């Protein structure tokens, strides 16, 4: 099975290094020196990682045969793809590969069907499940333990306890910055105060 593990960003310096947007929880394994990665577009690769280092919190890679800034810049926006054994599991039992989560049924704790995971979006702050509802609509569910309480790969389901309004907007609770009777609204002056 092939999985996207990174996207190449801009060139860094003049010796062929590139920044990469990491898309794997195991960069030390997938993006290690000597790793041979397929690419999208396929005509760019395969690429063999020669060296890697972290600079200012960002991973920099250098590939065999890429010796200058021009060659590095030509790789910009290329996806790096690793071959992964489908039976391989992450070391941490609380972590999952995207392909393990795709197509899981999403249900509430009482068994009510919500939909099926059709996509996983990786954001800087958290991951999101894109869930297709039985009516064809989509809902985004943050992949955080407060909401996704159980992943059962054997039963092929994800159990969720969503806050009000996450699944059904009509159940949303609107919070107010001020409750009634807490004093004057911002920008107004109460009777007896100097303006």
């Amino acid at each position: 099975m092939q999985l996207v593990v990174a996207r190449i960003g801009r060139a860094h310096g003049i010796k062929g290094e590139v920044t990469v947007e990491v898309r794997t929880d195991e960069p030390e394994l997938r993006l290690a020196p000597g790793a041979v990665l397929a690419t999208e577009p396929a005509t760019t690769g395969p690429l063999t990682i020669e060296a890697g280092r972290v600079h200012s919190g960002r991973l920099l890679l250098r590939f065999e045969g890429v010796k200058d800034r021009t060659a590095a810049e030509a790789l910009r926006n290329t996806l790096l793809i690793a071959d992964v054994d489908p039976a391989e599991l992450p070391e941490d039992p609380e972590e999952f590969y995207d392909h393990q989560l795709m197509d899981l049924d999403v249900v509430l704790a009482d068994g009510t069907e919500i939909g099926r995971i059709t996509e996983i979006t990786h954001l800087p702050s958290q991951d999101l499940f894109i869930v297709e509802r039985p009516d064809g609509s989509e809902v985004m569910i943050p992949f955080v333990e407060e909401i996704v309480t159980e992943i059962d790969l054997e039963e092929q389901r994800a159990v969720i306890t969503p806050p009000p309004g996450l699944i059904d907007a009509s159940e949303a609770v609107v919070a107010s910055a001020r409750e009634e009777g807490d004093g004057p609204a911002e920008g107004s002056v109460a009777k007896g105060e100097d303006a």
Side-chain angles (χ1 to χ4, degrees), residues 10-18 53 60 68-70 72-73:
R10 60 184 175 79
H12 179 83
I14 60 171
K15 296 184 179 180
E17 285 185 311
V18 294
R53 66 186 178 101
L60 302 177
D68 61 29
R69 185 176 185 87
T70 303
E73 193 61 40

Side-chain angles (χ1 to χ4, degrees), residues 27-64:
E28 66 285 346
L29 173 68
R30 308 279 181 225
L31 301 172
V36 179
L37 302 168
T39 60
E40 178 61 42
T43 55
T44 311
L47 294 172
T48 302
I49 297 174
E50 185 175 282
R53 66 186 178 101
V54 176
H55 175 70
S56 298
R58 195 147 180 109
L59 181 61
L60 302 177
L61 295 179
R62 189 171 57 244
F63 300 100
E64 289 180 6

Side-chain angles (χ1 to χ4, degrees), residues 44-114:
T44 311
L47 294 172
T48 302
I49 297 174
E50 185 175 282
R53 66 186 178 101
V54 176
H55 175 70
S56 298
R58 195 147 180 109
L59 181 61
L60 302 177
L61 295 179
R62 189 171 57 244
F63 300 100
E64 289 180 6
V66 178
K67 301 297 181 194
D68 61 29
R69 185 176 185 87
T70 303
E73 193 61 40
L75 297 174
R76 191 175 203 161
N77 293 322
T78 298
L79 296 177
L80 299 175
I81 302 165
D83 282 316
V84 177
D85 180 350
E88 183 181 326
L89 299 174
E91 289 180 18
D92 184 342
E94 295 297 312
E95 290 183 7
F96 304 91
Y97 293 131
D98 287 5
H99 71 273
Q100 294 175 293
L101 301 171
M102 291 297 292
D103 293 322
L104 291 185
D105 293 323
V106 178
V107 298
L108 297 178
D110 66 5
T112 303
E113 180 185 356
I114 300 301

Side-chain angles (χ1 to χ4, degrees), residues 159-174:
V159 179
I160 64 169
T161 55
L166 183 66
I167 303 300
D168 184 354
S170 67
E171 296 175 356
V173 176
V174 179

